[in-house]
Amino acid sequence: MLVRLSDRFSDQDRDEIIAGMRRHDIDSQSALELASMTNYPAEVGGGPWPVAERAMMRSICLPFHNDLVDSEIDLICQTLELMLTRSTFSRD
């Protein structure tokens, strides 16, 4: 599942949040990593889609598949919320 962080988060914040999610054994990645795995090359930075590129710089791919159970979804959401809070506190 792709989620986009609000404008108050930077791409560095996104990377810290992803690292924190991974430290808690929750596989996550940036949309840029996901785009690099597709068959269609995406030009990022100076390409023809500046709004989409800005949104992608703050996007995180979270685990999403048919076998996720409610407790796993809750854990993913709680961990994301914790990482968002930590990121906000580290800036203030």
Side-chain angles (χ1 to χ4, degrees):
M1 169 179 291
L2 185 68
V3 295
R4 186 177 64 87
L5 303 173
S6 73
D7 293 344
R8 71 178 197 217
F9 292 95
S10 68
D11 55 337
Q12 291 87 11
D13 294 327
R14 177 209 57 210
D15 292 344
E16 290 175 14
I17 291 166
I18 290 171
M21 298 288 287
R22 289 177 177 171
R23 281 193 303 274
H24 286 85
D25 296 326
I26 296 176
D27 186 30
S28 58
Q29 57 190 344
S30 73
L32 295 175
E33 289 175 284
L34 181 65
S36 70
M37 290 186 270
T38 65
N39 292 330
Y40 304 100
E43 184 178 341
V44 176
W49 311 105
V51 174
E53 290 171 359
R54 283 193 303 273
M56 190 168 45
M57 295 303 289
R58 291 187 316 277
S59 296
I60 297 175
C61 299
L62 298 175
F64 182 73
H65 54 80
N66 292 337
D67 294 331
L68 282 176
V69 296
D70 289 344
S71 61
E72 292 171 319
I73 294 169
D74 288 341
L75 180 61
I76 292 166
C77 293
Q78 290 171 7
T79 306
L80 178 60
E81 186 175 14
L82 175 64
M83 294 303 110
L84 292 170
T85 301
R86 286 183 178 176
S87 177
T88 302
F89 281 140
S90 70
R91 269 194 313 241
D92 296 339

